[in-house]
Amino acid sequence: HDFYQFQRMETALEQARVIVFVGTSFAVTLTQVALQHAKDHGLVVYNFNTNDLLEPSVRLNAENIVGPAHETLPQLVVQCAALQQQQHEKEHNQS
């Protein structure tokens, strides 16, 4: 279905370094495709959820973050900003 913008999701997956799920049941095709991509490309998967948890395995590097989204997602933003700053500093020091 065009509504799901499947091609846009595929493009985003090709560019992804990590995958973040928030509150999904993993019952739709999009999530299954993303999980398979994570397995195939060794991407870390962060699952912000209170019910449907992922089972980490040799092929799936999954981290379940359990808790209310209004508490856990701001922590994700802080961590992403810190990683982005570290990357910027690393690139600056190499030039």
Side-chain angles (χ1 to χ4, degrees), residues 1 3-4 6 40 47-48 62 64 68 70 73 83:
H1 298 350
F3 174 78
Y4 293 113
F6 198 83
D40 292 346
N47 177 35
F48 288 77
N64 292 296
H70 70 276
L73 287 177
L83 289 171

Side-chain angles (χ1 to χ4, degrees), residues 71-91:
E71 294 175 7
T72 57
L73 287 177
Q75 293 174 19
L76 172 66
V77 172
V78 169
Q79 291 300 316
C80 288
L83 289 171
Q84 200 170 32
Q85 180 64 31
Q86 289 174 0
Q87 183 65 31
H88 177 73
E89 290 172 2
K90 181 179 176 183
E91 290 170 358

Side-chain angles (χ1 to χ4, degrees), residues 3-93:
F3 174 78
Y4 293 113
Q5 301 181 16
F6 198 83
Q7 290 178 327
R8 184 175 174 203
M9 186 268 307
E10 288 181 311
T11 300
L13 278 178
E14 287 300 320
Q15 299 171 0
R17 291 189 245 169
V18 301
I19 297 176
V20 176
F21 292 110
V22 179
T24 184
S25 66
F26 299 101
V28 295
T29 301
L30 295 175
T31 55
Q32 295 306 312
V33 169
L35 285 172
Q36 187 61 49
H37 183 81
K39 290 176 184 177
D40 292 346
H41 297 279
L43 300 180
V44 178
V45 175
Y46 294 99
N47 177 35
F48 288 77
N49 213 316
T50 55
N51 295 314
D52 296 294
L53 303 181
L54 293 171
E55 186 70 36
S57 69
V58 173
R59 291 199 60 229
L60 181 61
N61 186 358
E63 188 79 33
N64 292 296
I65 295 86
V66 180
H70 70 276
E71 294 175 7
T72 57
L73 287 177
Q75 293 174 19
L76 172 66
V77 172
V78 169
Q79 291 300 316
C80 288
L83 289 171
Q84 200 170 32
Q85 180 64 31
Q86 289 174 0
Q87 183 65 31
H88 177 73
E89 290 172 2
K90 181 179 176 183
E91 290 170 358
H92 180 53
N93 290 336

